Short mmCIF file of all heavy atoms in Angstrom, two decimals:
data_model
loop_
_atom_site.label_atom_id
_atom_site.label_comp_id
_atom_site.label_asym_id
_atom_site.label_seq_id
_atom_site.Cartn_x
_atom_site.Cartn_y
_atom_site.Cartn_z
N ASP A 11 9.23 2.58 13.53
CA ASP A 11 8.11 1.64 13.43
C ASP A 11 7.16 1.84 14.62
O ASP A 11 7.39 2.70 15.48
CB ASP A 11 8.62 0.20 13.31
CG ASP A 11 9.41 -0.25 14.54
OD1 ASP A 11 9.28 0.40 15.60
OD2 ASP A 11 10.15 -1.24 14.42
N GLU A 12 6.12 1.03 14.65
CA GLU A 12 5.09 1.21 15.67
C GLU A 12 5.65 1.07 17.09
O GLU A 12 5.21 1.74 18.02
CB GLU A 12 3.97 0.19 15.44
CG GLU A 12 3.16 0.53 14.21
CD GLU A 12 2.17 -0.57 13.84
OE1 GLU A 12 1.11 -0.65 14.46
OE2 GLU A 12 2.49 -1.33 12.92
N GLU A 13 6.65 0.21 17.22
CA GLU A 13 7.26 0.00 18.54
C GLU A 13 8.03 1.25 18.98
O GLU A 13 7.96 1.66 20.15
CB GLU A 13 8.21 -1.19 18.44
CG GLU A 13 8.31 -2.00 19.70
CD GLU A 13 9.21 -3.20 19.49
OE1 GLU A 13 8.81 -4.10 18.71
OE2 GLU A 13 10.31 -3.21 20.05
N ASP A 14 8.77 1.85 18.06
CA ASP A 14 9.53 3.08 18.39
C ASP A 14 8.58 4.18 18.85
O ASP A 14 8.82 4.88 19.83
CB ASP A 14 10.28 3.61 17.15
CG ASP A 14 11.32 2.63 16.62
OD1 ASP A 14 11.95 1.94 17.45
OD2 ASP A 14 11.50 2.56 15.39
N ILE A 15 7.47 4.32 18.10
CA ILE A 15 6.52 5.39 18.40
C ILE A 15 5.82 5.11 19.73
O ILE A 15 5.64 6.01 20.55
CB ILE A 15 5.50 5.53 17.25
CG1 ILE A 15 6.22 5.95 15.96
CG2 ILE A 15 4.41 6.54 17.60
CD1 ILE A 15 5.38 5.83 14.70
N SER A 16 5.49 3.85 19.94
CA SER A 16 4.81 3.46 21.17
C SER A 16 5.70 3.74 22.39
O SER A 16 5.23 4.23 23.43
CB SER A 16 4.45 1.98 21.07
OG SER A 16 3.94 1.53 22.26
N ARG A 17 6.99 3.45 22.25
CA ARG A 17 7.93 3.70 23.34
C ARG A 17 8.01 5.20 23.65
O ARG A 17 8.02 5.62 24.80
CB ARG A 17 9.31 3.15 22.96
CG ARG A 17 10.11 2.68 24.15
CD ARG A 17 11.43 2.03 23.75
NE ARG A 17 11.29 0.93 22.81
CZ ARG A 17 11.85 0.88 21.61
NH1 ARG A 17 12.59 1.89 21.16
NH2 ARG A 17 11.69 -0.17 20.83
N ALA A 18 8.06 6.00 22.60
CA ALA A 18 8.12 7.47 22.79
C ALA A 18 6.85 7.96 23.48
O ALA A 18 6.91 8.79 24.40
CB ALA A 18 8.32 8.16 21.45
N ALA A 19 5.70 7.44 23.05
CA ALA A 19 4.43 7.84 23.67
C ALA A 19 4.38 7.42 25.14
O ALA A 19 3.93 8.19 26.00
CB ALA A 19 3.26 7.25 22.89
N ASP A 20 4.89 6.23 25.44
CA ASP A 20 4.95 5.75 26.84
C ASP A 20 5.76 6.72 27.69
O ASP A 20 5.33 7.11 28.79
CB ASP A 20 5.64 4.37 26.91
CG ASP A 20 4.76 3.24 26.46
OD1 ASP A 20 3.54 3.44 26.35
OD2 ASP A 20 5.31 2.14 26.22
N ASP A 21 6.94 7.09 27.20
CA ASP A 21 7.83 7.97 27.96
C ASP A 21 7.20 9.34 28.21
O ASP A 21 7.25 9.88 29.31
CB ASP A 21 9.17 8.16 27.22
CG ASP A 21 9.99 6.88 27.18
OD1 ASP A 21 9.64 5.95 27.94
OD2 ASP A 21 10.95 6.81 26.39
N MET A 22 6.60 9.87 27.15
CA MET A 22 6.01 11.21 27.30
C MET A 22 4.82 11.16 28.24
O MET A 22 4.65 12.04 29.08
CB MET A 22 5.58 11.73 25.93
CG MET A 22 6.76 11.87 25.00
SD MET A 22 6.23 12.22 23.33
CE MET A 22 6.36 13.98 23.34
N ALA A 23 3.99 10.14 28.11
CA ALA A 23 2.81 10.01 28.98
C ALA A 23 3.23 9.84 30.44
O ALA A 23 2.62 10.42 31.34
CB ALA A 23 1.95 8.85 28.54
N SER A 24 4.30 9.11 30.67
CA SER A 24 4.68 8.90 32.07
C SER A 24 5.23 10.20 32.67
O SER A 24 4.99 10.49 33.85
CB SER A 24 5.62 7.70 32.23
OG SER A 24 6.93 8.08 32.25
N CYS A 25 5.91 11.02 31.88
CA CYS A 25 6.34 12.34 32.37
C CYS A 25 5.13 13.21 32.68
O CYS A 25 5.08 13.87 33.72
CB CYS A 25 7.21 13.06 31.33
SG CYS A 25 8.82 12.30 31.09
N ILE A 26 4.15 13.21 31.79
CA ILE A 26 2.96 14.04 32.00
C ILE A 26 2.18 13.53 33.21
O ILE A 26 1.70 14.32 34.04
CB ILE A 26 2.10 14.07 30.71
CG1 ILE A 26 2.85 14.85 29.63
CG2 ILE A 26 0.72 14.68 30.97
CD1 ILE A 26 2.23 14.81 28.25
N ASN A 27 2.08 12.23 33.36
CA ASN A 27 1.39 11.67 34.53
C ASN A 27 2.05 12.13 35.84
O ASN A 27 1.37 12.45 36.81
CB ASN A 27 1.40 10.14 34.48
CG ASN A 27 0.35 9.59 33.53
OD1 ASN A 27 -0.72 10.19 33.37
ND2 ASN A 27 0.64 8.46 32.90
N ASN A 28 3.38 12.19 35.84
CA ASN A 28 4.10 12.66 37.04
C ASN A 28 3.91 14.15 37.27
O ASN A 28 3.64 14.59 38.38
CB ASN A 28 5.61 12.39 36.90
CG ASN A 28 5.93 10.95 37.18
OD1 ASN A 28 5.27 10.32 38.01
ND2 ASN A 28 6.92 10.42 36.49
N ASP A 29 4.06 14.92 36.18
CA ASP A 29 4.05 16.38 36.31
C ASP A 29 2.67 16.95 36.62
O ASP A 29 2.56 18.04 37.18
CB ASP A 29 4.57 17.03 35.03
CG ASP A 29 6.04 16.72 34.78
OD1 ASP A 29 6.68 16.14 35.68
OD2 ASP A 29 6.55 17.05 33.68
N TYR A 30 1.62 16.26 36.22
CA TYR A 30 0.26 16.81 36.36
C TYR A 30 -0.59 16.02 37.35
O TYR A 30 -1.82 16.08 37.30
CB TYR A 30 -0.43 16.89 35.00
CG TYR A 30 0.18 17.95 34.11
CD1 TYR A 30 1.30 17.68 33.34
CD2 TYR A 30 -0.33 19.25 34.07
CE1 TYR A 30 1.89 18.64 32.54
CE2 TYR A 30 0.25 20.23 33.28
CZ TYR A 30 1.35 19.92 32.51
OH TYR A 30 1.93 20.88 31.73
N ARG A 31 0.07 15.30 38.24
CA ARG A 31 -0.67 14.54 39.25
C ARG A 31 -1.59 15.48 40.04
O ARG A 31 -1.16 16.52 40.51
CB ARG A 31 0.33 13.88 40.21
CG ARG A 31 -0.12 12.59 40.81
CD ARG A 31 0.96 12.06 41.73
NE ARG A 31 2.19 11.71 40.99
CZ ARG A 31 2.43 10.53 40.42
NH1 ARG A 31 1.51 9.60 40.49
NH2 ARG A 31 3.56 10.29 39.81
N GLY A 32 -2.85 15.15 40.12
CA GLY A 32 -3.78 16.00 40.88
C GLY A 32 -4.29 17.21 40.11
O GLY A 32 -5.10 17.97 40.63
N CYS A 33 -3.79 17.39 38.88
CA CYS A 33 -4.25 18.52 38.06
C CYS A 33 -5.23 18.00 37.00
O CYS A 33 -5.34 16.80 36.80
CB CYS A 33 -3.10 19.19 37.32
SG CYS A 33 -1.75 19.73 38.36
N ARG A 34 -5.91 18.92 36.36
CA ARG A 34 -6.78 18.52 35.25
C ARG A 34 -6.45 19.41 34.06
O ARG A 34 -7.15 20.38 33.77
CB ARG A 34 -8.24 18.67 35.67
CG ARG A 34 -9.18 18.06 34.66
CD ARG A 34 -10.62 18.09 35.16
NE ARG A 34 -11.52 17.54 34.16
CZ ARG A 34 -12.63 18.15 33.74
NH1 ARG A 34 -12.98 19.33 34.23
NH2 ARG A 34 -13.38 17.59 32.82
N PRO A 35 -5.33 19.09 33.37
CA PRO A 35 -4.91 19.94 32.26
C PRO A 35 -5.87 19.90 31.07
O PRO A 35 -6.63 18.95 30.92
CB PRO A 35 -3.54 19.37 31.86
CG PRO A 35 -3.56 17.96 32.32
CD PRO A 35 -4.43 17.93 33.55
N VAL A 36 -5.81 20.96 30.27
CA VAL A 36 -6.53 20.98 29.00
C VAL A 36 -5.49 20.63 27.92
O VAL A 36 -4.50 21.32 27.75
CB VAL A 36 -7.14 22.36 28.69
CG1 VAL A 36 -7.94 22.29 27.39
CG2 VAL A 36 -8.03 22.82 29.83
N ILE A 37 -5.73 19.53 27.25
CA ILE A 37 -4.82 19.06 26.22
C ILE A 37 -5.33 19.57 24.88
O ILE A 37 -6.43 19.22 24.47
CB ILE A 37 -4.72 17.52 26.28
CG1 ILE A 37 -4.09 17.15 27.61
CG2 ILE A 37 -3.91 16.97 25.10
CD1 ILE A 37 -4.02 15.69 27.90
N ILE A 38 -4.52 20.42 24.24
CA ILE A 38 -4.97 21.04 22.99
C ILE A 38 -4.15 20.50 21.82
O ILE A 38 -2.96 20.76 21.70
CB ILE A 38 -4.86 22.58 23.07
CG1 ILE A 38 -5.73 23.09 24.24
CG2 ILE A 38 -5.28 23.22 21.75
CD1 ILE A 38 -5.76 24.59 24.41
N GLY A 39 -4.81 19.71 20.99
CA GLY A 39 -4.14 19.14 19.82
C GLY A 39 -4.12 20.14 18.67
O GLY A 39 -5.10 20.84 18.43
N VAL A 40 -2.98 20.19 17.99
CA VAL A 40 -2.87 21.07 16.82
C VAL A 40 -3.23 20.24 15.58
O VAL A 40 -2.55 19.26 15.24
CB VAL A 40 -1.43 21.64 16.69
CG1 VAL A 40 -1.34 22.58 15.49
CG2 VAL A 40 -1.02 22.36 17.97
N LEU A 41 -4.34 20.65 14.94
CA LEU A 41 -4.83 19.90 13.78
C LEU A 41 -4.05 20.26 12.52
O LEU A 41 -3.56 21.37 12.41
CB LEU A 41 -6.31 20.20 13.58
CG LEU A 41 -7.23 19.66 14.69
CD1 LEU A 41 -8.64 20.17 14.50
CD2 LEU A 41 -7.20 18.14 14.73
N LYS A 42 -3.95 19.36 11.54
CA LYS A 42 -4.53 18.04 11.67
C LYS A 42 -3.51 17.02 12.17
O LYS A 42 -3.86 15.95 12.66
CB LYS A 42 -5.04 17.56 10.29
CG LYS A 42 -6.05 18.44 9.64
CD LYS A 42 -6.41 17.85 8.25
CE LYS A 42 -7.17 18.82 7.40
NZ LYS A 42 -7.35 18.30 6.03
N GLY A 43 -2.26 17.32 11.97
CA GLY A 43 -1.20 16.31 12.13
C GLY A 43 -1.14 15.57 13.45
O GLY A 43 -0.66 14.45 13.51
N SER A 44 -1.65 16.19 14.54
CA SER A 44 -1.45 15.59 15.86
C SER A 44 -2.51 14.57 16.25
O SER A 44 -2.42 13.97 17.32
CB SER A 44 -1.41 16.69 16.93
OG SER A 44 -2.71 17.23 17.11
N PHE A 45 -3.53 14.38 15.39
CA PHE A 45 -4.70 13.64 15.89
C PHE A 45 -4.42 12.20 16.29
O PHE A 45 -4.98 11.69 17.25
CB PHE A 45 -5.88 13.75 14.91
CG PHE A 45 -5.81 12.85 13.69
CD1 PHE A 45 -6.70 11.81 13.53
CD2 PHE A 45 -4.87 13.07 12.71
CE1 PHE A 45 -6.65 10.99 12.41
CE2 PHE A 45 -4.82 12.26 11.57
CZ PHE A 45 -5.69 11.22 11.42
N ILE A 46 -3.53 11.54 15.60
CA ILE A 46 -3.26 10.14 15.95
C ILE A 46 -2.38 10.06 17.20
O ILE A 46 -2.64 9.28 18.12
CB ILE A 46 -2.63 9.40 14.75
CG1 ILE A 46 -3.70 9.26 13.67
CG2 ILE A 46 -2.08 8.03 15.18
CD1 ILE A 46 -3.26 8.54 12.43
N PHE A 47 -1.37 10.90 17.24
CA PHE A 47 -0.50 10.94 18.42
C PHE A 47 -1.31 11.30 19.66
O PHE A 47 -1.15 10.68 20.72
CB PHE A 47 0.66 11.92 18.19
CG PHE A 47 1.47 12.19 19.41
CD1 PHE A 47 1.98 11.14 20.17
CD2 PHE A 47 1.74 13.49 19.83
CE1 PHE A 47 2.74 11.38 21.32
CE2 PHE A 47 2.49 13.74 20.96
CZ PHE A 47 2.98 12.69 21.71
N LEU A 48 -2.18 12.29 19.55
CA LEU A 48 -2.98 12.72 20.70
C LEU A 48 -3.83 11.55 21.21
O LEU A 48 -3.92 11.31 22.41
CB LEU A 48 -3.84 13.92 20.33
CG LEU A 48 -4.62 14.54 21.49
CD1 LEU A 48 -4.62 16.06 21.39
CD2 LEU A 48 -6.04 14.03 21.56
N ALA A 49 -4.42 10.82 20.27
CA ALA A 49 -5.27 9.68 20.67
C ALA A 49 -4.45 8.63 21.42
O ALA A 49 -4.91 8.07 22.42
CB ALA A 49 -5.93 9.08 19.44
N ASP A 50 -3.25 8.38 20.96
CA ASP A 50 -2.40 7.39 21.64
C ASP A 50 -1.87 7.92 22.97
O ASP A 50 -1.76 7.17 23.94
CB ASP A 50 -1.23 6.99 20.73
CG ASP A 50 -1.67 5.94 19.70
OD1 ASP A 50 -2.75 5.34 19.88
OD2 ASP A 50 -0.92 5.72 18.73
N LEU A 51 -1.55 9.21 23.00
CA LEU A 51 -1.02 9.81 24.23
C LEU A 51 -2.06 9.79 25.35
O LEU A 51 -1.77 9.33 26.46
CB LEU A 51 -0.57 11.25 23.95
CG LEU A 51 0.06 11.98 25.13
CD1 LEU A 51 1.48 11.48 25.40
CD2 LEU A 51 0.09 13.49 24.89
N VAL A 52 -3.28 10.26 25.07
CA VAL A 52 -4.27 10.37 26.15
C VAL A 52 -4.70 9.00 26.68
O VAL A 52 -5.09 8.88 27.84
CB VAL A 52 -5.51 11.21 25.76
CG1 VAL A 52 -5.12 12.64 25.42
CG2 VAL A 52 -6.30 10.58 24.63
N ARG A 53 -4.58 7.98 25.86
CA ARG A 53 -4.93 6.64 26.35
C ARG A 53 -3.89 6.09 27.32
O ARG A 53 -4.09 5.06 27.94
CB ARG A 53 -5.14 5.68 25.18
CG ARG A 53 -6.53 5.85 24.58
CD ARG A 53 -6.79 4.95 23.43
NE ARG A 53 -6.05 5.36 22.26
CZ ARG A 53 -6.10 4.73 21.10
NH1 ARG A 53 -6.85 3.66 20.98
NH2 ARG A 53 -5.41 5.17 20.07
N ARG A 54 -2.76 6.79 27.42
CA ARG A 54 -1.73 6.40 28.37
C ARG A 54 -1.76 7.26 29.63
O ARG A 54 -0.94 7.07 30.52
CB ARG A 54 -0.35 6.52 27.72
CG ARG A 54 -0.09 5.45 26.67
CD ARG A 54 1.11 5.86 25.80
NE ARG A 54 1.65 4.75 25.04
CZ ARG A 54 1.15 4.30 23.89
NH1 ARG A 54 0.06 4.85 23.39
NH2 ARG A 54 1.72 3.30 23.25
N LEU A 55 -2.66 8.23 29.67
CA LEU A 55 -2.69 9.13 30.84
C LEU A 55 -3.53 8.54 31.96
O LEU A 55 -4.58 7.96 31.73
CB LEU A 55 -3.24 10.51 30.43
CG LEU A 55 -2.37 11.29 29.45
CD1 LEU A 55 -2.97 12.67 29.18
CD2 LEU A 55 -0.93 11.43 29.94
N GLU A 56 -3.01 8.72 33.18
CA GLU A 56 -3.72 8.24 34.37
C GLU A 56 -4.33 9.40 35.12
O GLU A 56 -4.94 9.23 36.17
CB GLU A 56 -2.73 7.48 35.26
CG GLU A 56 -2.25 6.19 34.63
CD GLU A 56 -0.88 5.75 35.10
OE1 GLU A 56 -0.31 6.39 36.00
OE2 GLU A 56 -0.38 4.75 34.55
N ILE A 57 -4.12 10.60 34.62
CA ILE A 57 -4.68 11.80 35.26
C ILE A 57 -5.99 12.17 34.57
O ILE A 57 -6.29 11.67 33.48
CB ILE A 57 -3.70 12.98 35.13
CG1 ILE A 57 -3.29 13.16 33.65
CG2 ILE A 57 -2.49 12.80 36.03
CD1 ILE A 57 -2.64 14.46 33.33
N ASP A 58 -6.72 13.08 35.21
CA ASP A 58 -7.94 13.60 34.60
C ASP A 58 -7.53 14.73 33.65
O ASP A 58 -6.57 15.45 33.93
CB ASP A 58 -8.84 14.12 35.72
CG ASP A 58 -10.27 14.34 35.25
OD1 ASP A 58 -10.60 13.93 34.11
OD2 ASP A 58 -11.04 14.94 36.02
N PHE A 59 -8.23 14.88 32.56
CA PHE A 59 -7.86 15.92 31.58
C PHE A 59 -9.07 16.27 30.73
O PHE A 59 -10.07 15.57 30.71
CB PHE A 59 -6.71 15.44 30.69
CG PHE A 59 -7.03 14.19 29.92
CD1 PHE A 59 -7.67 14.27 28.69
CD2 PHE A 59 -6.73 12.94 30.43
CE1 PHE A 59 -8.00 13.12 27.99
CE2 PHE A 59 -7.05 11.78 29.73
CZ PHE A 59 -7.68 11.87 28.50
N MET A 60 -8.93 17.37 29.99
CA MET A 60 -9.92 17.74 28.97
C MET A 60 -9.19 17.80 27.64
O MET A 60 -7.99 18.07 27.61
CB MET A 60 -10.52 19.12 29.26
CG MET A 60 -11.52 19.13 30.39
SD MET A 60 -12.03 20.81 30.78
CE MET A 60 -13.11 21.15 29.40
N VAL A 61 -9.90 17.59 26.55
CA VAL A 61 -9.28 17.65 25.23
C VAL A 61 -9.96 18.75 24.41
O VAL A 61 -11.17 18.91 24.44
CB VAL A 61 -9.41 16.30 24.49
CG1 VAL A 61 -9.02 16.44 23.02
CG2 VAL A 61 -8.53 15.25 25.14
N ASP A 62 -9.14 19.49 23.70
CA ASP A 62 -9.67 20.46 22.74
C ASP A 62 -8.69 20.51 21.56
O ASP A 62 -7.62 19.90 21.60
CB ASP A 62 -9.83 21.84 23.40
CG ASP A 62 -10.83 22.72 22.65
OD1 ASP A 62 -11.42 22.26 21.65
OD2 ASP A 62 -11.03 23.87 23.07
N PHE A 63 -9.08 21.24 20.53
CA PHE A 63 -8.23 21.32 19.34
C PHE A 63 -8.11 22.74 18.85
O PHE A 63 -8.99 23.58 19.08
CB PHE A 63 -8.82 20.45 18.21
CG PHE A 63 -8.78 18.99 18.52
CD1 PHE A 63 -9.89 18.34 19.07
CD2 PHE A 63 -7.63 18.24 18.30
CE1 PHE A 63 -9.86 16.99 19.38
CE2 PHE A 63 -7.58 16.89 18.61
CZ PHE A 63 -8.70 16.27 19.15
N ILE A 64 -7.03 22.99 18.13
CA ILE A 64 -6.82 24.27 17.46
C ILE A 64 -6.24 23.94 16.09
O ILE A 64 -5.55 22.93 15.94
CB ILE A 64 -5.89 25.18 18.30
CG1 ILE A 64 -5.93 26.63 17.81
CG2 ILE A 64 -4.44 24.66 18.31
CD1 ILE A 64 -5.32 27.64 18.79
N LYS A 65 -6.57 24.77 15.12
CA LYS A 65 -6.01 24.54 13.79
C LYS A 65 -5.30 25.81 13.34
O LYS A 65 -5.86 26.91 13.47
CB LYS A 65 -7.12 24.17 12.81
CG LYS A 65 -6.59 23.65 11.50
CD LYS A 65 -7.72 23.07 10.67
CE LYS A 65 -7.18 22.52 9.38
NZ LYS A 65 -8.24 22.13 8.47
N ALA A 66 -4.11 25.64 12.86
CA ALA A 66 -3.35 26.80 12.40
C ALA A 66 -2.72 26.47 11.06
O ALA A 66 -2.44 25.31 10.76
CB ALA A 66 -2.27 27.14 13.41
N SER A 67 -2.50 27.49 10.26
CA SER A 67 -1.76 27.22 9.03
C SER A 67 -0.78 28.36 8.80
O SER A 67 -1.02 29.51 9.17
CB SER A 67 -2.72 27.10 7.85
OG SER A 67 -3.43 28.30 7.69
N SER A 68 0.36 27.98 8.23
CA SER A 68 1.32 29.02 7.85
C SER A 68 1.04 29.31 6.39
O SER A 68 0.77 28.42 5.60
CB SER A 68 2.75 28.53 8.08
OG SER A 68 2.95 27.29 7.50
N TYR A 69 1.07 30.56 6.06
CA TYR A 69 0.71 30.92 4.69
C TYR A 69 1.74 31.88 4.12
O TYR A 69 2.55 32.44 4.84
CB TYR A 69 -0.68 31.55 4.64
CG TYR A 69 -0.86 32.78 5.48
CD1 TYR A 69 -0.85 34.04 4.88
CD2 TYR A 69 -1.02 32.71 6.87
CE1 TYR A 69 -1.00 35.18 5.65
CE2 TYR A 69 -1.17 33.84 7.63
CZ TYR A 69 -1.16 35.08 7.02
OH TYR A 69 -1.31 36.19 7.78
N GLY A 70 1.68 32.08 2.82
CA GLY A 70 2.61 33.00 2.16
C GLY A 70 3.74 32.27 1.47
O GLY A 70 4.33 32.75 0.52
N GLY A 71 4.06 31.08 1.92
CA GLY A 71 5.13 30.32 1.30
C GLY A 71 4.57 29.03 0.75
O GLY A 71 3.48 28.62 1.10
N ASN A 72 5.29 28.35 -0.11
CA ASN A 72 4.77 27.10 -0.63
C ASN A 72 5.46 25.88 -0.01
O ASN A 72 4.81 25.00 0.51
CB ASN A 72 4.83 27.04 -2.16
CG ASN A 72 6.13 27.60 -2.72
OD1 ASN A 72 7.09 27.79 -1.97
ND2 ASN A 72 6.15 27.86 -4.01
N THR A 73 6.77 25.85 -0.04
CA THR A 73 7.43 24.66 0.50
C THR A 73 8.03 24.91 1.88
O THR A 73 8.21 23.98 2.64
CB THR A 73 8.57 24.18 -0.43
OG1 THR A 73 9.52 25.23 -0.57
CG2 THR A 73 8.03 23.77 -1.78
#
Side-chain angles (χ1 to χ4, degrees):
D11 62 18
E12 289 172 79
E13 212 177 293
D14 297 325
I15 297 167
S16 174
R17 211 175 305 122
D20 284 345
D21 292 346
M22 298 171 95
S24 96
C25 291
I26 291 172
N27 281 328
N28 282 327
D29 294 351
Y30 290 85
R31 210 180 295 273
C33 305
R34 190 174 178 231
V36 183
I37 295 175
I38 300 182
V40 182
L41 293 172
K42 302 178 193 173
S44 72
F45 78 112
I46 291 181
F47 171 51
L48 186 141
D50 279 345
L51 182 74
V52 299
R53 280 180 288 180
R54 289 164 164 81
L55 295 183
E56 292 153 5
I57 52 165
D58 195 9
F59 59 86
M60 284 174 75
V61 169
D62 202 1
F63 293 96
I64 194 165
K65 191 170 182 189
S67 61
S68 50
Y69 59 102
N72 42 14
T73 60

